[in-house]
Amino acid sequence: MVGGSVDGLVSGMQTSSVIAALMQVEAAPQTALKAKVSTQQKVISSYQTINTKMGALLTAAKALADPLAFKGATATSSSDAVLATTSTTGGNMAGSVTFKVNKLAAAESHIFTGGHVSATSDNITSADQLTVTLADGTLKSLDISADHSLKGVVDAINNSSDIGVRASAIQLKPGQYTLQLTSKTTGEASTFTVGGIDGLGADVVSTAGSDAQLTLGDADPPITVTSSTNTFTGLMDGLTITAKKVQSAADAPVTVGVTADTDGIAGKVQAMIDAANAALTELGNQTKNSSGDVPGGVLAGNSSMQLLASQIIQTVSGGAGDLGSLKSVGIELTRDGRLSFDKTKFTDALNADPVKTQSYFVGTGANAGNGLADKMVAMSTKATQSNTGTLAQLITSGNSRIKDLNNNISNWDVRLAARQQTLQRQFTAMETALGSLKNQSSWLAGQLSSLG
């Protein structure tokens, strides 16, 4: 609003105070609009908080609805000769396997023993091309024309990503240096031959490429499992074994056991239940009615949010389709309208019948979509989905309402500024008129005085 003082010099009135009081009355509709904006902002904030809670529930439910959620397993090893792990992306089958680590994988290595140079700066070849033939017959060539010295050849090989070998300058004794080449891969397939080094004589195999080997049982000949690396996959479904050291004949065999990760699976169920309860608590706080001195929630009596709370509860009360109540897998409703989870009961059910227990959460066949996780995902998605979700639409609608209210407030700024200018002109005109009357009164008094 436009400022300025027109306090009366003639009337003695506090004109600015009068105008301010009048403008306060005039601005009442705008003040009411500002109050509506503040209220609407609180409503949107409440919707956004609920949306966050429902989003967390959706995430937890999706984690449990994943087909691999119930495939978690843990592996244990009876020896430090191996490291055993289970897959997090594939199925795991409970069981055990016993074996001994007979060999570790090795990379083939060649060393030139037919000659040597006195310094790494000395030339070891006159050829401009180094060739390496891999086990599968693939021929690799490398240009070494820029530097024929031992150091130059080593650097050229190690700076190449395609040649298939690594190089080292080896000191045999002071003043005697030669070249060693080692395959970048391990296993029997890491064998290679080399050409193009004509200044160091013949190369010999210093380490033969070999596969890692496990032996199972006491059969003669033994049952063997091999790998080109020290890692074995597929020995059991979902199991990965990494060999760490070779065992001696006197060492006890290694037993690796795989068991279902019941704690991990139960943790996923608990996370979903916790997320559902957090959403219910938030919905309850936001929609509660006032009681005595305790104020109500921002969304008190909001039927949409009350319905959302009911839908969360109904996912449990409705059971798991043909399987019926969720009580047999440890999930129930409490008297205060919350979800409870009995981990022991769930674990017992999981150990007794893993497939059926999973079906309570992820329905299959005729029961598809009726699992608890299935229903939680569907219900949470409907509430939180961008643009089309219930909460998303309420938030969008609320923001549009605020925009309209702010436009009306801006329009009132223009009206009130014009009204204040009008009042200032009116009071200024009044003071001018009073001044004229005062002057006329003074003149008449003077004339009458002169007649007497």
Side-chain angles (χ1 to χ4, degrees):
M1 293 184 292
V2 179
S5 172
V6 291
D7 286 349
L9 297 175
V10 179
S11 66
M13 293 175 59
Q14 294 292 319
T15 311
S16 59
S17 297
V18 174
I19 292 176
L22 291 172
M23 288 305 301
Q24 188 172 2
V25 174
E26 295 280 354
Q30 187 190 52
T31 302
L33 289 174
K34 290 179 178 178
K36 287 182 179 180
V37 169
S38 178
T39 299
Q40 192 64 39
Q41 287 173 333
K42 291 177 182 178
V43 169
I44 291 175
S45 178
S46 295
Y47 285 144
Q48 289 171 332
T49 301
I50 293 171
N51 193 54
T52 298
K53 298 294 185 182
M54 293 301 297
L57 174 56
L58 175 59
T59 298
K62 281 184 174 180
L64 195 57
D66 189 305
L68 299 178
F70 283 74
K71 300 297 184 183
T74 56
T76 57
S77 172
S78 64
S79 169
D80 62 1
V82 301
L83 172 66
T85 58
T86 54
S87 170
T88 58
T89 58
N92 292 280
M93 184 177 294
S96 66
V97 60
T98 301
F99 55 85
K100 292 193 74 169
V101 181
N102 195 38
K103 290 181 182 179
L104 293 182
E108 178 144 312
S109 182
H110 293 205
I111 190 167
F112 288 80
T113 59
H116 58 266
V117 293
S118 59
T120 58
S121 58
D122 293 343
N123 288 346
I124 61 170
T125 182
S126 60
D128 290 336
Q129 292 287 324
L130 174 75
T131 61
V132 174
T133 304
L134 303 180
D136 62 0
T138 302
L139 178 66
K140 302 285 188 178
S141 297
L142 179 66
D143 184 358
I144 54 173
S145 60
D147 190 344
H148 290 161
S149 71
L150 175 57
K151 182 180 185 304
V153 172
V154 168
D155 289 345
I157 292 172
N158 290 338
N159 289 332
S160 170
S161 60
D162 186 55
I163 197 64
V165 296
R166 296 185 299 271
S168 300
I170 302 298
Q171 181 178 254
L172 301 174
K173 62 181 181 179
Q176 291 187 6
Y177 296 88
T178 192
L179 176 67
Q180 177 176 282
L181 299 177
T182 303
S183 174
K184 290 182 178 180
T185 61
T186 59
E188 292 181 358
S190 68
T191 59
F192 64 91
T193 58
V194 62
I197 305 298
D198 55 15
L200 293 176
D203 61 303
V204 299
V205 177
S206 56
T207 301
S210 62
D211 290 342
Q213 185 183 85
L214 308 180
T215 57
L216 285 70
D218 299 322
D220 188 17
I223 300 170
T224 61
V225 180
T226 60
S227 171
S228 61
T229 69
N230 289 324
T231 299
F232 294 79
T233 58
L235 191 58
M236 285 178 56
D237 189 23
L239 175 66
T240 298
I241 293 172
T242 303
K244 294 294 185 181
K245 65 181 181 180
V246 174
Q247 293 182 284
S248 69
D251 289 336
V254 180
T255 297
V256 172
V258 178
T259 57
D261 183 15
T262 53
D263 281 344
I265 299 170
K268 293 175 184 177
V269 177
Q270 184 70 67
M272 185 180 71
I273 298 302
D274 289 345
N277 283 331
L280 286 170
T281 297
E282 189 64 39
L283 285 163
N285 289 337
Q286 295 288 358
T287 60
K288 68 181 179 182
N289 294 315
S290 60
S291 177
D293 295 333
V294 179
V298 173
L299 303 176
N302 186 300
S303 59
S304 295
M305 295 301 98
Q306 290 171 340
L307 175 60
L308 182 57
S310 296
Q311 289 172 341
I312 296 175
I313 293 172
Q314 287 168 5
T315 59
V316 175
S317 63
D322 294 341
L323 294 174
S325 172
L326 295 161
K327 185 176 181 179
S328 58
V329 290
I331 297 176
E332 296 184 75
L333 290 172
T334 63
R335 292 182 178 180
D336 61 351
R338 295 294 182 267
L339 282 59
S340 68
F341 176 57
D342 187 331
K343 179 181 176 181
T344 300
K345 201 168 187 178
F346 170 80
T347 301
D348 290 343
L350 184 64
N351 289 333
D353 192 338
V355 174
K356 182 178 180 181
T357 300
Q358 183 175 3
S359 297
Y360 277 94
F361 297 90
V362 185
T364 58
N367 207 39
N370 285 320
L372 178 59
D374 296 328
K375 293 192 291 184
M376 285 287 192
V377 168
M379 180 271 302
S380 300
T381 299
K382 186 176 180 180
T384 63
Q385 193 166 33
S386 177
N387 298 324
T388 60
T390 304
L391 288 163
Q393 289 180 337
L394 288 169
I395 291 169
T396 299
S397 175
N399 283 327
S400 295
R401 174 64 175 154
I402 287 177
K403 183 178 179 180
D404 291 341
L405 289 171
N406 282 331
N407 287 337
N408 288 335
I409 289 171
S410 296
N411 292 336
W412 267 101
D413 282 337
V414 176
R415 295 180 199 172
L416 292 173
R419 179 57 177 156
Q420 181 165 339
Q421 289 177 343
T422 298
L423 289 172
Q424 288 174 335
R425 287 195 297 269
Q426 288 175 340
F427 277 92
T428 299
M430 180 191 72
E431 290 293 333
T432 301
L434 288 174
S436 296
L437 290 173
K438 183 177 181 180
N439 290 335
Q440 290 176 5
S441 175
S442 297
W443 180 81
L444 289 172
Q447 291 298 317
L448 291 173
S449 177
S450 65
L451 292 174

